[in-house]
Amino acid sequence: MVDTDSQLQLVTFHLGEELYGVNIMDVKEIVRISNVRAIPNAPYYVEGFINLRGEIIPIIDLHKRFRIKASYRPEDIEMDGGFIILNIDGTRIGIIIDKVERVIPVNGAEIKEPPQMISGIGNEYIEGVVKSDAGGYLIMLNTRKLFNAKELQKISDIK
Protein backbone atom coordinates (compact mmCIF):
# COMPACT_ATOMS: atom_id res chain seq x y z
CA MET A 1 0.00 0.00 0.00
CA VAL A 2 1.09 3.57 -0.68
CA ASP A 3 2.43 5.78 2.13
CA THR A 4 -0.40 8.04 3.34
CA ASP A 5 1.93 11.08 3.44
CA SER A 6 3.02 10.68 -0.20
CA GLN A 7 1.76 12.47 -3.29
CA LEU A 8 1.47 10.47 -6.53
CA GLN A 9 0.87 11.44 -10.13
CA LEU A 10 -1.39 8.96 -11.93
CA VAL A 11 -1.90 8.54 -15.66
CA THR A 12 -5.63 7.80 -15.93
CA PHE A 13 -7.39 5.91 -18.71
CA HIS A 14 -10.54 3.96 -19.49
CA LEU A 15 -10.76 0.22 -19.91
CA GLY A 16 -14.32 -0.76 -20.58
CA GLU A 17 -16.61 1.30 -18.38
CA GLU A 18 -14.08 1.79 -15.56
CA LEU A 19 -11.48 4.49 -14.93
CA TYR A 20 -7.99 3.20 -14.13
CA GLY A 21 -4.72 4.79 -13.20
CA VAL A 22 -1.05 3.83 -13.09
CA ASN A 23 1.82 5.61 -11.39
CA ILE A 24 3.39 8.04 -13.84
CA MET A 25 6.83 6.77 -12.76
CA ASP A 26 5.99 3.42 -14.44
CA VAL A 27 4.92 5.07 -17.72
CA LYS A 28 7.51 5.52 -20.47
CA GLU A 29 5.10 7.11 -22.94
CA ILE A 30 1.63 7.08 -24.46
CA VAL A 31 1.33 6.30 -28.16
CA ARG A 32 -1.55 6.25 -30.61
CA ILE A 33 -2.80 3.07 -32.23
CA SER A 34 -0.32 1.62 -34.68
CA ASN A 35 0.04 -1.68 -36.52
CA VAL A 36 0.31 -4.56 -34.09
CA ARG A 37 2.02 -7.62 -35.53
CA ALA A 38 0.64 -10.94 -34.30
CA ILE A 39 2.87 -13.43 -32.50
CA PRO A 40 2.19 -17.16 -33.06
CA ASN A 41 1.67 -19.23 -29.90
CA ALA A 42 1.68 -16.17 -27.63
CA PRO A 43 -0.39 -16.18 -24.41
CA TYR A 44 -4.07 -15.30 -25.04
CA TYR A 45 -3.69 -11.77 -23.62
CA VAL A 46 -0.67 -10.86 -25.82
CA GLU A 47 -2.04 -9.02 -28.84
CA GLY A 48 1.33 -8.93 -30.61
CA PHE A 49 4.13 -6.39 -30.83
CA ILE A 50 4.90 -2.98 -32.27
CA ASN A 51 8.14 -1.49 -33.50
CA LEU A 52 8.51 1.80 -31.66
CA ARG A 53 11.48 3.73 -33.03
CA GLY A 54 13.46 0.51 -33.47
CA GLU A 55 12.45 -1.05 -30.14
CA ILE A 56 10.20 -4.13 -30.16
CA ILE A 57 7.41 -3.65 -27.59
CA PRO A 58 5.05 -6.52 -26.68
CA ILE A 59 1.41 -5.35 -26.59
CA ILE A 60 -0.90 -6.72 -23.90
CA ASP A 61 -4.67 -6.56 -24.14
CA LEU A 62 -5.88 -5.96 -20.59
CA HIS A 63 -9.45 -6.43 -21.84
CA LYS A 64 -8.59 -10.09 -22.45
CA ARG A 65 -6.42 -10.38 -19.34
CA PHE A 66 -9.18 -9.04 -17.09
CA ARG A 67 -12.14 -10.21 -19.22
CA ILE A 68 -13.43 -6.66 -19.73
CA LYS A 69 -15.56 -5.67 -22.69
CA ALA A 70 -14.00 -2.82 -24.67
CA SER A 71 -16.10 0.35 -24.55
CA TYR A 72 -14.87 1.98 -27.73
CA ARG A 73 -16.65 2.08 -31.04
CA PRO A 74 -14.55 1.35 -34.14
CA GLU A 75 -14.77 4.98 -35.26
CA ASP A 76 -13.42 6.17 -31.87
CA ILE A 77 -10.34 3.98 -31.80
CA GLU A 78 -8.21 6.21 -34.04
CA MET A 79 -9.06 9.31 -32.01
CA ASP A 80 -9.02 8.05 -28.41
CA GLY A 81 -7.41 4.63 -28.27
CA GLY A 82 -3.78 3.79 -27.99
CA PHE A 83 -1.14 2.18 -25.86
CA ILE A 84 0.50 3.08 -22.60
CA ILE A 85 4.10 1.91 -22.67
CA LEU A 86 5.06 0.73 -19.19
CA ASN A 87 8.47 -0.05 -17.79
CA ILE A 88 8.00 -3.08 -15.53
CA ASP A 89 11.24 -4.15 -13.86
CA GLY A 90 13.26 -3.20 -16.94
CA THR A 91 10.84 -4.77 -19.44
CA ARG A 92 8.90 -2.40 -21.68
CA ILE A 93 5.33 -3.52 -22.27
CA GLY A 94 2.48 -1.76 -24.05
CA ILE A 95 -1.07 -2.04 -22.74
CA ILE A 96 -4.08 -1.34 -24.92
CA ILE A 97 -6.40 1.32 -23.54
CA ASP A 98 -9.79 2.53 -24.69
CA LYS A 99 -9.20 6.20 -23.95
CA VAL A 100 -6.53 8.29 -22.26
CA GLU A 101 -7.90 10.71 -19.69
CA ARG A 102 -5.31 12.87 -17.93
CA VAL A 103 -2.57 12.96 -15.31
CA ILE A 104 -3.92 13.67 -11.85
CA PRO A 105 -2.30 14.19 -8.46
CA VAL A 106 -3.41 11.81 -5.72
CA ASN A 107 -2.67 12.19 -2.04
CA GLY A 108 -1.69 8.87 -0.41
CA ALA A 109 -4.31 9.44 2.33
CA GLU A 110 -7.07 9.36 -0.34
CA ILE A 111 -6.18 5.82 -1.45
CA LYS A 112 -8.41 3.12 0.02
CA GLU A 113 -7.95 -0.64 0.15
CA PRO A 114 -9.48 -2.37 -2.88
CA PRO A 115 -12.63 -4.44 -2.43
CA GLN A 116 -12.31 -8.20 -3.05
CA MET A 117 -13.50 -7.97 -6.66
CA ILE A 118 -13.92 -5.00 -8.99
CA SER A 119 -15.35 -5.57 -12.47
CA GLY A 120 -13.88 -9.06 -12.67
CA ILE A 121 -10.36 -7.95 -11.75
CA GLY A 122 -8.85 -9.69 -8.75
CA ASN A 123 -7.56 -7.37 -6.05
CA GLU A 124 -4.03 -8.77 -6.46
CA TYR A 125 -3.67 -6.42 -9.46
CA ILE A 126 -5.05 -3.39 -7.65
CA GLU A 127 -3.01 -1.03 -5.50
CA GLY A 128 -6.06 0.84 -4.24
CA VAL A 129 -9.11 2.86 -5.18
CA VAL A 130 -9.58 6.62 -5.10
CA LYS A 131 -12.86 8.51 -5.20
CA SER A 132 -12.96 10.44 -8.48
CA ASP A 133 -14.28 13.94 -9.13
CA ALA A 134 -17.15 12.51 -11.19
CA GLY A 135 -18.50 10.62 -8.15
CA GLY A 136 -17.21 7.20 -9.17
CA TYR A 137 -13.95 5.49 -8.35
CA LEU A 138 -10.52 5.39 -9.94
CA ILE A 139 -8.90 1.95 -9.78
CA MET A 140 -5.12 2.13 -9.28
CA LEU A 141 -3.37 -0.78 -10.99
CA ASN A 142 -0.20 -2.19 -9.47
CA THR A 143 1.97 -2.60 -12.58
CA ARG A 144 4.43 -4.84 -10.68
CA LYS A 145 1.68 -7.40 -10.08
CA LEU A 146 -0.01 -7.41 -13.51
CA PHE A 147 2.20 -10.38 -14.46
CA ASN A 148 3.96 -12.98 -12.36
CA ALA A 149 7.69 -13.60 -12.91
CA LYS A 150 7.06 -16.50 -15.30
CA GLU A 151 4.62 -14.47 -17.44
CA LEU A 152 6.96 -11.48 -17.47
CA GLN A 153 9.81 -13.70 -18.65
CA LYS A 154 7.60 -15.17 -21.40
CA ILE A 155 6.60 -11.67 -22.53
CA SER A 156 10.22 -10.51 -22.38
CA ASP A 157 11.29 -13.46 -24.54
CA ILE A 158 8.95 -12.24 -27.31
CA LYS A 159 11.55 -9.67 -28.30
Side-chain angles (χ1 to χ4, degrees):
M1 196 65 180
V2 178
D3 180 15
T4 57
D5 295 330
S6 66
Q7 176 90 12
L8 297 172
Q9 297 287 321
L10 298 179
V11 175
T12 62
F13 56 93
H14 284 276
L15 268 182
E17 299 299 320
E18 300 291 341
L19 182 63
Y20 292 87
V22 293
N23 190 328
I24 198 167
M25 299 305 289
D26 295 333
V27 176
K28 181 179 181 287
E29 64 186 295
I30 299 169
V31 295
R32 291 282 177 211
I33 292 291
S34 62
N35 289 340
V36 177
R37 310 255 336 239
I39 301 169
N41 300 320
Y44 72 95
Y45 52 83
V46 176
E47 196 68 20
F49 70 89
I50 61 171
N51 183 334
L52 185 62
R53 293 182 295 282
E55 184 177 3
I56 302 301
I57 309 283
I59 300 297
I60 306 301
D61 190 339
L62 290 183
H63 299 94
K64 291 178 182 176
R65 175 86 174 160
F66 297 149
R67 294 173 178 79
I68 296 172
K69 184 178 180 197
S71 66
Y72 60 80
R73 297 183 315 259
E75 60 270 16
D76 294 339
I77 196 165
E78 296 258 338
M79 187 171 69
D80 296 329
F83 310 114
I84 293 180
I85 309 299
L86 301 173
N87 188 355
I88 303 174
D89 298 328
T91 301
R92 293 223 167 98
I93 296 173
I95 58 172
I96 297 173
I97 57 170
D98 291 336
K99 181 179 180 183
V100 175
E101 280 297 318
R102 57 193 171 118
V103 175
I104 62 167
V106 173
N107 192 330
E110 298 174 51
I111 302 168
K112 306 298 180 210
E113 289 286 327
Q116 288 295 2
M117 195 65 98
I118 298 179
S119 296
I121 300 175
N123 68 351
E124 68 268 19
Y125 305 120
I126 300 172
E127 181 122 5
V129 293
V130 178
K131 192 166 180 135
S132 74
D133 296 338
Y137 285 92
L138 164 67
I139 302 167
M140 288 177 51
L141 293 178
N142 184 334
T143 58
R144 303 284 179 285
K145 293 185 178 178
L146 286 178
F147 310 99
N148 64 37
K150 189 175 179 179
E151 290 172 321
L152 204 52
Q153 182 61 49
K154 200 180 256 190
I155 292 167
S156 185
D157 289 345
I158 287 172
K159 297 177 183 184

